[in-house]
Amino acid sequence: MKIIAYGIRDDEKPYLDKWSEENPDVEVASTGELLDDSTVDQAKGADGVVTYQQKPYTASVLDKLGSFGIKYLSLRNVGVDNIDADAAKRNGIQVTNVPAYSPEAIAEFTVTQLMRLLRRTNTFDRKQANGDLRWAPDIADELNQMTVGVFATGRIGRAAMRIYKGFGAKVIAYDIYHNPELEKEGVYVDTPEELYAQSDVLSLHAPATKENEHMINDKTIAQMKDGVFILNPARGALVDTDALIRGLDSGKIGGAALDTYENEVGIFNTDFGSFDKIPDERLKNLMKRENVLVSPHIAFYTKRAARNMVYFAMDANKSLINTGKSDKLVEL
């Protein structure tokens, strides 16, 4: 049995080596390169492919994998929206993902960024860099006095809710699918509009779907409280960037923490050498603001998550090759 792993980062390599040692019946090949038309030939002779990337898994790549007889593709991440579903089905390629590599990592980071916004740490950092050690006028807000609205109560949303409650915040939530335990607690509101109207903080944890694209837009922002804080550690496509900027300019939005951005592919996880060379003016607009925190999709980025991403994906791929089954199969 042979599995090739694409896009292996330096921080993932020790975990891949450890998995390989623990699975001597599997020949493991790896590369730091992503899976695309220029690298797909490296998969020839493999039984399965493990990969992680933001760029598309195109029809030409999937057709090539199919021509090699490869029917198993295991992602080290959650999202499958960048896979050409028709091509995968046409080639009989089964796909697995890692639905939860560390919900707590993302939840902890989300709340950390909110606390930075509420306590104005970005403002004080900039003031202190210029020798200004005064307090006023940058007085803070307290989370225990606020209502946090959580949009989507999957694993990450629920993990975030536990932390918000620990701070003493009132927590409400909206989801099409109600979690039975949360249902008993009575935290759900019936519509997104109710969530927007009642929340001092809006914490987004929804997947990227056609229905959710630009769910944060001019119309929905107008339904929110004045001075609302918006947190997006989920998917960049959830937020209409232009509408967000307009909301920040008007003061309707009191602050935002963005770990994802709708045009992040090719920008995040790239060293441009200087701020001026970042090739996205809207992103730079946001980064310049004291009440906006932009991070390059790092909420997941912990040692535990990196280990789980490798192990869960490799285990799933091996299971597919051996049995044609995995508890992490996804429908495209």
Side-chain angles (χ1 to χ4, degrees), residues 151-153 173-179 183 188-190 192 209 211-212:
F151 194 105
T153 56
Y174 173 80
D175 200 314
I176 297 174
Y177 307 103
H178 287 195
N179 176 274
E183 182 77 70
Y188 285 111
V189 296
D190 294 328
T209 64
E211 293 75 20
N212 287 339

Side-chain angles (χ1 to χ4, degrees), residues 9-311:
R9 306 184 306 268
D10 288 345
D11 54 84
E12 292 178 308
K13 191 67 166 61
Y15 303 116
L16 183 64
D17 291 343
K18 183 67 173 175
W19 188 93
S20 183
E21 290 175 11
E22 295 171 1
N23 293 268
D25 55 327
V26 182
E27 179 186 347
V28 177
S30 68
T31 175
E33 297 178 298
L34 301 180
L35 176 60
D36 57 23
D37 288 304
S38 68
T39 62
V40 65
D41 284 341
Q42 296 179 43
K44 191 178 296 184
D47 299 291
V49 171
V50 169
T51 183
Y52 169 74
Q53 62 195 50
Q54 294 174 305
K55 66 192 297 186
Y57 300 96
T58 62
S60 60
V61 167
L62 296 173
D63 286 343
K64 203 70 174 290
L65 292 179
S67 74
F68 298 155
I70 296 174
K71 302 296 182 183
Y72 309 119
L73 178 66
S74 294
L75 310 185
R76 301 195 300 280
N77 56 286
V78 181
V80 296
D81 49 297
N82 57 339
I83 296 176
D84 188 314
D86 291 337
K89 293 173 185 175
R90 181 172 67 245
N91 288 284
I93 295 175
Q94 293 180 285
V95 178
T96 65
N97 69 348
V98 180
Y101 32 85
S102 181
E104 292 78 13
I106 297 169
E108 288 179 7
F109 185 81
T110 304
V111 181
T112 296
Q113 294 295 79
L114 172 60
M115 294 308 299
R116 291 183 63 205
L117 288 173
L118 297 184
R119 299 312 302 256
R120 313 290 196 265
T121 60
N122 201 22
T123 297
F124 281 104
D125 286 345
R126 296 185 189 203
K127 287 170 65 173
Q128 289 174 194
N130 292 315
D132 185 351
L133 302 182
R134 294 173 297 175
W135 309 338
D138 304 299
I139 196 165
D141 296 296
E142 294 183 30
L143 181 52
N144 67 83
Q145 299 297 304
M146 307 179 102
T147 297
V148 179
V150 174
F151 194 105
T153 56
R155 295 177 179 89
I156 298 170
R158 295 196 303 274
M161 291 174 75
R162 290 191 291 271
I163 303 174
Y164 291 133
K165 291 176 183 177
F167 274 91
K170 177 182 178 181
V171 179
I172 60 176
Y174 173 80
D175 200 314
I176 297 174
Y177 307 103
H178 287 195
N179 176 274
E181 293 303 314
L182 295 181
E183 182 77 70
K184 293 176 185 176
E185 295 178 20
V187 301
Y188 285 111
V189 296
D190 294 328
T191 65
E193 290 76 17
E194 290 179 72
L195 192 78
Y196 300 148
Q198 297 179 36
S199 300
D200 300 298
V201 177
L202 185 62
S203 191
L204 304 178
H205 303 284
T209 64
K210 290 181 180 179
E211 293 75 20
N212 287 339
E213 185 174 0
H214 283 185
M215 57 174 280
I216 304 303
N217 54 53
D218 289 311
K219 180 180 178 180
T220 56
I221 290 170
Q223 297 167 357
M224 299 177 192
K225 285 187 175 183
D226 292 342
V228 65
F229 292 91
I230 297 176
L231 317 174
N232 184 15
R235 289 291 181 268
L238 301 180
V239 177
D240 179 336
T241 302
D242 291 325
L244 178 70
I245 290 173
R246 286 190 287 268
L248 289 162
D249 286 343
S250 70
K252 179 70 175 181
I253 299 173
L258 310 173
D259 190 54
T260 58
Y261 177 67
E262 61 179 330
N263 295 320
E264 69 182 58
V265 176
I267 296 179
F268 282 0
N269 204 24
T270 301
D271 182 0
F272 291 101
S274 72
F275 179 83
D276 292 338
K277 292 180 181 179
I278 297 173
D280 189 309
E281 293 304 316
R282 294 188 304 171
L283 181 61
K284 288 195 285 188
N285 177 315
L286 292 167
M287 293 173 70
K288 289 176 182 177
R289 296 172 185 260
E290 290 189 0
N291 63 339
V292 176
L293 301 174
V294 175
S295 49
H297 211 140
I298 59 171
F300 81 97
Y301 195 49
T302 66
K303 296 173 183 176
R304 176 192 177 208
R307 186 264 182 202
N308 287 346
M309 291 166 77
V310 170
Y311 265 70

